[in-house]
Amino acid sequence: MNVQTNRLYFIDAMRAWAILMMLQGHFIDGLMDPVYRDTGNAAFNIWLYFRGITAPVFFTVSGFIFTYLLIRVPQKGFENPRVAKGVRRGLQLLLIGYLLRLNLFGLFKGQVYNAFYLVDVLHCIGLSILVLIGIYLITSKRKPYLFPTLLLGITLGLFLFEPVYKQWSFSFLPNALANYFTKANGSVFTIIPWLGYATLGGFVSVLFTRFKDFKHLYAAGIPLAAAVGYVLIYHSSSAFASLHGFTGWEFFGLIPLNNYLFIRLGNVFIVFAVFMLLRRFLTNRTILNIGASTLSIYVIHFIILYGSFTGLGLYRFFNHSLTPQIVIPGAILFMVVCTYLALKYNQHEAEIKSQIAWALASVKRQAIEVKEASIPMLRELSIRVRLVLRRFLRTVRG
């Protein structure tokens, strides 16, 4: 594949891989009996390792794709059409994130459960897109190197100081806002540190855009990504320990105690290297369509697995109760069903949306007709009530 093409197919393939890994990961993690979580089992450890890679890859690829589309157009600042589209997309993801946690039965009873305010993947990606737009607008009329420098700086800042701010309770904020920064109330993801992967993806996309005409981009990029990944995975902890001994700064000493952010970042670079290496074999239309349908797949999987709106999902009936013999083929079937439904939805998206719009308009018309028909009845009822009251008052006075 030539770099000059508008679409980087290996990125779509990475996104497809990440969403499928997310589906099976959520299914197995939520439904398999904990008694089978044996860290002495090699197969389970491999699954657990790849489950840990999924979210960092997904966030990084999301930041890469959005930034790549944002900066490749000639317009700058607010004149860039991708800015308005990005704002709509970010707000849409936030809205869908909240809607998926809405329970209609509770709403009918006048209750909004605490789970509605918890923050998940869509919230963080939506907010990350808005942050990327903000950084882009701030730097759009300044030196061209400032945008990628800020992106990389945010990633390093969030990852380096994670041992410090993860201890903060954010109790001074309302829970609905605090949930974006702390998992104390049950949030699955938080904007810090996960924004760091999105900004790193944005930084890498800037490099791809700047060197798009470089003849040996992939020949140089693949070994570079693999080398950076190797160093981060196997040597970042010892490097931070050495920095702690050299500087005496406490936060450097805290990082090696739980160095998951930089190690997972190394995994992301390795995944980039692998997919770039295999890029010529990743042009299958179905794979690319899956990569372009991640939002639909995510929404459908959330409804089926966690029971959005009704609470009647697989998680409610089979929570941590299945054996590997059932949960593994079940996860494969779950991936196939969610992907098939999402691709079918995207294929008929315009028709489905028009039908929904027609149904809503029909309900609205019927509501107006009922209201208009009831006005004469209410007037007649009002007249009768006034007559009855007058007769009653006359009787009382007489």
Side-chain angles (χ1 to χ4, degrees), residues 78-91:
F78 286 101
E79 296 178 1
N80 187 334
R82 284 287 170 182
V83 169
K85 290 182 180 179
V87 170
R88 287 196 297 271
R89 186 64 163 181
L91 295 176

Side-chain angles (χ1 to χ4, degrees), residues 1-9 212 218 279-280:
M1 183 199 72
N2 295 327
V3 184
Q4 285 82 359
T5 55
N6 288 333
R7 201 166 189 95
L8 298 175
Y9 294 111
K212 63 182 179 181
Y218 288 107
R279 67 191 181 281
R280 298 187 186 279

Side-chain angles (χ1 to χ4, degrees), residues 136-214:
Y136 167 78
L137 291 175
I138 291 172
T139 60
S140 60
K141 295 185 178 180
R142 301 180 185 276
K143 298 292 185 181
Y145 62 80
L146 185 58
F147 180 56
T149 301
L150 278 179
L151 293 178
L152 183 60
I154 289 172
T155 299
L156 293 176
L158 289 175
F159 287 8
L160 286 172
F161 292 100
E162 189 268 348
V164 177
Y165 62 71
K166 76 174 182 180
Q167 303 176 38
W168 301 347
S169 66
F170 295 93
S171 57
F172 58 91
L173 294 174
N175 283 348
L177 293 178
N179 289 338
Y180 281 90
F181 304 99
T182 177
K183 295 182 179 180
N185 301 320
S187 287
V188 181
F189 289 90
T190 52
I191 193 62
I192 53 173
W194 290 97
L195 170 63
Y197 288 107
T199 52
L200 190 280
F203 171 78
V204 175
S205 76
V206 173
L207 295 181
F208 263 84
T209 304
R210 297 277 171 86
F211 294 98
K212 63 182 179 181
D213 297 323
F214 182 48

Side-chain angles (χ1 to χ4, degrees), residues 12 89 91 102 147 175 186-187 222 232 315 342 362:
D12 284 320
R89 186 64 163 181
L91 295 176
L102 190 64
F147 180 56
N175 283 348
S187 287
I222 292 171
L232 287 172
Y315 191 81
S362 178

Side-chain angles (χ1 to χ4, degrees), residues 164 244 247-257:
V164 177
H244 175 240
T247 64
W249 295 351
E250 187 61 29
F251 74 93
F252 280 140
L254 294 175
I255 294 173
L257 299 178

